[in-house]
Amino acid sequence: MASLDYDFEKNHFREFYSDNLKILDDAKTSFCALINALVSHSGDIAISKIEGRVKDKEECLGKFNLKYRKELEANETEYEIKDHISDLIGLRVVCLYEDDIEKIKAVLDQHFSVIDVTDKIALMEKTEGSFGYKGLHLDLKLGDDRIEMPEYKAFVDFNFEIQIRTIVQDSWSVLDHKIKYKKKIPNKLKRRINTLAALFELADREFLAIRTETELEIQKAEDDDTDEVLDSNVAGPQKLISSNGNGLLTAFGLLKIANHFFSDFDAEAHKVDGFTDEIVSLEPDITRTKLNTYMKEGIAKVKRYKADFEANGNSKDTLNPYTMIRHCLYYGDKDVFSSVLTNASKEKFEKWLGENDG
């Protein structure tokens, strides 16, 4: 029952909190799992973490006193404290890039009813002389399509707040809360905090710019096929490398060539990057054209070796695309690329070459 008696409402809220703590915690866990599933299946959104918590009851009372009580009592508006704690259940989604924030919001818009939106990114960008963490806060409740589902029926009366931030914004939030005095402080100290906040903003922009530029470089390598080369394993000329093929080998160049020769190439970025670095460390002046030459001159023989290797009871130790590229490099220049194969692999390959030369 709503009233203007704070002591009564405070005790009533504490009773409500204690009586419902278990179900609140279950709702938090369920909402986290649901959002994780929805975002994970939505496409190319990279998530660092999704976590939740049930707000401490005394913290809730403190927030109500600070933000709502004075105005409600001044206007003689009766209240129940729980109705004003929108983040009793709080979730946080931490993503990698700034443009993922709107993508996540779009997913949530499709599956939940949006009660309120607080765009701290826009608020901060409109304010010149202040600092603080950015992020998008949404107050949500289950959408109509899930209210009737048995697994969610116990939670239909609970709204929740979700904060969407990048890793950088989340890191700044943690630090921002550790700065004890931020309002009435000397200007020189305030400027230093503003500078630090600006560095975090710059980091967010640079991470996004690097990702975008990387995607453009990969696409450029895919689109750039003006040089005509001959794949010795396929009859006829094949379009493969670009007019920039004489440039030094990069991860993008290796990715282009590997994808051409192997339809099942595992293009995990850290593997491509590390393997390219290994090749360049052995032949610092290697170009895309040179790598392609090693591949087209050796791939037919290496594929024959792979077939014999696996036919002779080695199927558990199959040659993956990376290993086949290693064999092509070794076959192309045994002195330079001696270390790309283990001694055992070299012995087996050399024995096979001796028996199948020509």
Side-chain angles (χ1 to χ4, degrees), residues 237-343:
Q238 302 292 313
K239 295 284 189 178
L240 177 59
I241 63 172
S242 74
S243 55
N244 293 323
N246 288 323
L248 295 177
L249 181 68
T250 65
F252 309 122
L254 184 142
L255 184 62
K256 167 72 174 180
I257 292 171
N259 281 328
H260 172 80
F261 284 98
F262 306 103
S263 59
D264 58 344
F265 181 67
D266 182 3
E268 289 187 53
H270 71 279
K271 291 183 180 179
V272 174
D273 196 36
F275 189 39
T276 306
D277 187 57
E278 181 184 354
I279 295 170
V280 173
S281 72
L282 297 172
E283 187 175 336
D285 295 330
I286 190 171
T287 62
R288 270 178 63 176
T289 299
K290 188 70 176 291
L291 175 60
N292 177 69
T293 299
Y294 286 133
M295 291 301 299
K296 67 188 181 71
E297 291 180 352
I299 191 63
K301 194 170 291 288
V302 171
K303 284 185 175 180
R304 285 172 52 205
Y305 172 66
K306 170 183 167 69
D308 289 348
F309 179 83
E310 294 176 0
N312 291 328
N314 294 295
S315 58
K316 291 184 179 180
D317 192 24
T318 185
L319 303 185
N320 63 37
Y322 285 100
T323 308
M324 294 177 72
I325 295 172
R326 289 179 182 276
H327 280 78
C328 287
L329 290 168
Y330 175 76
Y331 181 74
D333 194 325
K334 296 178 182 179
D335 292 330
V336 171
F337 294 108
S338 175
S339 65
V340 297
L341 295 176
T342 65
N343 288 337

Side-chain angles (χ1 to χ4, degrees), residues 190-209:
K190 186 178 291 187
R191 282 197 300 272
R192 291 177 66 180
I193 300 173
N194 279 331
T195 300
L196 183 60
L199 289 173
F200 274 77
E201 285 192 39
L202 180 61
D204 243 343
R205 293 173 190 171
E206 284 302 301
F207 277 123
L208 180 57

Side-chain angles (χ1 to χ4, degrees), residues 51-118:
E51 57 188 8
R53 61 98 183 98
V54 178
K55 199 179 188 77
D56 176 77
K57 65 175 178 291
E58 298 306 316
E59 190 179 350
C60 291
L61 292 171
K63 178 178 179 178
F64 176 80
N65 265 312
L66 183 65
K67 294 187 66 174
Y68 304 110
R69 182 184 173 188
K70 184 176 180 180
E71 182 177 355
L72 288 168
E73 293 182 353
N75 294 328
E76 296 187 352
T77 302
E78 295 184 344
Y79 57 81
E80 287 189 71
I81 293 174
K82 66 180 178 64
D83 295 337
H84 296 273
I85 309 298
S86 60
D87 61 342
L88 184 55
I89 299 172
L91 274 59
R92 181 178 303 153
V93 179
V94 180
C95 55
L96 301 189
Y97 303 106
E98 278 192 298
D99 62 349
D100 286 332
I101 292 176
E102 283 300 322
K103 294 177 186 177
I104 295 168
K105 180 180 181 298
V107 172
L108 298 177
D109 284 345
Q110 291 177 25
H111 297 278
F112 295 91
S113 295
V114 179
I115 301 167
D116 193 25
V117 179
T118 303

